Amino acid sequence: MTARLAGHASPSTTLGYDVRPDEEARDAVERLRIPTVAPLLPETPADQRPNAAP
């Protein structure tokens, strides 16, 4: 994705521009926080839902 945003045909080209020391790059990756998303569940008919009115 980053390569595409930079207009590079290959991620290898983009990597050549990252001149950070390996430890700094690893630290940056460890600081990334990826939000969790609840899994999509199929719609449950109203009469089968918990606490459904009879």
Side-chain angles (χ1 to χ4, degrees):
M1 176 58 117
T2 303
R4 191 169 14 146
L5 290 172
H8 298 152
S10 167
S12 299
T13 304
T14 309
L15 187 59
Y17 288 96
D18 187 358
V19 296
R20 296 175 291 180
D22 288 344
E23 184 176 333
E24 187 176 330
R26 268 192 301 277
D27 289 344
V29 170
E30 289 175 6
R31 286 192 307 271
L32 288 175
R33 296 293 173 248
I34 301 172
T36 57
V37 178
L40 297 176
L41 301 175
E43 183 64 32
T44 304
D47 62 339
Q48 295 179 9
R49 294 179 190 157
N51 303 324

